[in-house]
Amino acid sequence: MARSHSCCGSVVSLCTLHIFLTTSGWVELQESPSQSPPIFVFAQDYLEKFYQLPRNRFQSERKNSTSVIMEKLREMQRFFGLNETGKPNQETLEMMQKPRCGVPDSGDFMLTPGNPKWKQTNLTYRIIKYTPQLSEANVETAIQKAFQVWSNVSPLTFTKVSQGEVDIRISFVQGDHGDNSPFDGPNGILAHAFQPGQGIGGDVHFDAEETWTENSSNYNLFLVAAHEVGHSLGLSHSTDPGALMYPNYVFHDPSTYTLPQDDINGIQTIYGKSVGISGMFFAVLSMVVEVGGYPEVCLGSVKGGRCTLQSNTQWGHH
Ligand SMILES: *[C@@H]1O[C@H](CO)[C@@H](O)[C@H](O)[C@H]1NC(C)=O
Ligand SMILES: *[C@@H]1O[C@H](CO)[C@@H](O)[C@H](O)[C@H]1NC(C)=O
Ligand SMILES: *[C@@H]1O[C@H](CO)[C@@H](O)[C@H](O)[C@H]1NC(C)=O
Ligand SMILES: *[C@@H]1O[C@H](CO)[C@@H](O)[C@H](O)[C@H]1NC(C)=O
Ligand SMILES: [Ca+2]
Ligand SMILES: [Zn+2]
Ligand SMILES: [Zn+2]
């Protein structure tokens, strides 16, 4: 377990991990929580936030919690495709340090159990509180593009409203903001959102203490917003590292961003497929141009301006 000590500057010191792994570790530390190294506290805190590890406040509850923690660690390792060791090894701790969404990866959602969805497809949203880091126009553009990612591949439509009741309320807030899921300052949790429903249902909160950008600097607002809107529509986290609904922040070029197939499958499972007006226009145009026949409505799905019919015949420009 020889390890360079140059890593001590990172958020969680891996030097502490070194000490931790070279002692018999987990159980002993659990027995004497007053001496728990930061690494233990950090891993336990992560599991409490994202894997529904019960918060054990009393000594009596701690007796058999070691096995519970190991089980939760395995669950987390399984989700991220790591070795299921049940131990907070380096690859596990590195994964835990990545900036991410605040919505848990396991169990039911933050509020509503079940698989709630919006009954109507014409949804409204409102930006309640802006961030001073970007102009209001830039925030609105990022949010509008985030909704478009989903409306492009589903029957859903999103209309921005500036007053009154709406389905999805969007705000930049910091620290404890009254929903039992406090933000944690710069990095860590970037944002969270609630499943479809009344009241707070569908709402999106961004950590106001993050640096929000329009470019590749951390953190790109459009990308995080597109992920959170996925939750607002009823999707939970994906284990596919390429998916938008993967819990960790991954940068992609916003100007060329298209929704990955995993997310398309997810949203269409809930709301069905849809041919957007521009997609339909494109499909009709392509058929006229390429087939020379009569314009027809695409009966399959339109992806990237290409109509895929049941027979798997594809129409589109090449
Ligand atoms: C602790 O152990 C008891 C009996 O072995 C078991 O019923 C209980 O579910 C355990 N507690 C947790 C939190 O796993
Ligand atoms: C899992 O463990 C094996 C050996 O214990 C190692 O070779 C492999 O790289 C590990 N996998 C990952 C993803 O770290
Ligand atoms: C959505 O559509 C339904 C049915 O067409 C309509 O009653 C409702 O007012 C619409 N809502 C909005 C916000 O446009
Ligand atoms: C991103 O934009 C910010 C200003 O909003 C700027 O300070 C930063 O240097 C830019 N980063 C890149 C990589 O262009
Ligand atoms: Ca944060
Ligand atoms: Zn999320
Ligand atoms: Zn919140």
Side-chain angles (χ1 to χ4, degrees), residues 112-163:
T112 349
N115 296 306
K117 58 175 274 189
W118 296 103
K119 291 179 189 74
Q120 76 279 27
T121 56
N122 52 350
L123 299 169
T124 55
Y125 70 93
R126 185 177 153 192
I127 305 171
I128 308 276
K129 209 160 174 285
Y130 287 81
T131 167
Q133 296 163 13
L134 293 171
S135 71
E136 294 197 359
N138 286 348
V139 171
E140 283 164 17
T141 304
I143 300 292
Q144 190 235 325
K145 276 182 63 190
F147 280 115
Q148 211 171 56
V149 159
W150 298 102
S151 61
N152 279 345
V153 297
S154 71
L156 299 166
T157 62
F158 302 99
T159 308
K160 183 173 167 292
V161 172
S162 47
Q163 289 197 356

Side-chain angles (χ1 to χ4, degrees), residues 133-134 212-217:
Q133 296 163 13
L134 293 171
W212 295 106
T213 75
E214 297 180 283
N215 56 27
S216 61
S217 295

Side-chain angles (χ1 to χ4, degrees), residues 164-179:
E165 287 294 300
V166 292
D167 300 309
I168 297 169
R169 285 175 298 187
I170 297 164
S171 48
F172 292 80
V173 288
Q174 71 182 67
D176 200 337
H177 52 280
D179 60 9

Side-chain angles (χ1 to χ4, degrees), residues 5-16 39 93-94 97:
H5 283 215
S6 63
C7 53
C8 290
S10 61
V11 177
V12 170
S13 165
L14 293 177
C15 300
T16 316
I39 205 72
L93 290 164
E94 280 172 0
Q97 288 178 60

Side-chain angles (χ1 to χ4, degrees), residues 45 96 114 206 222 307:
D45 185 54
M96 286 178 169
F206 295 99
F222 155 74
C307 177

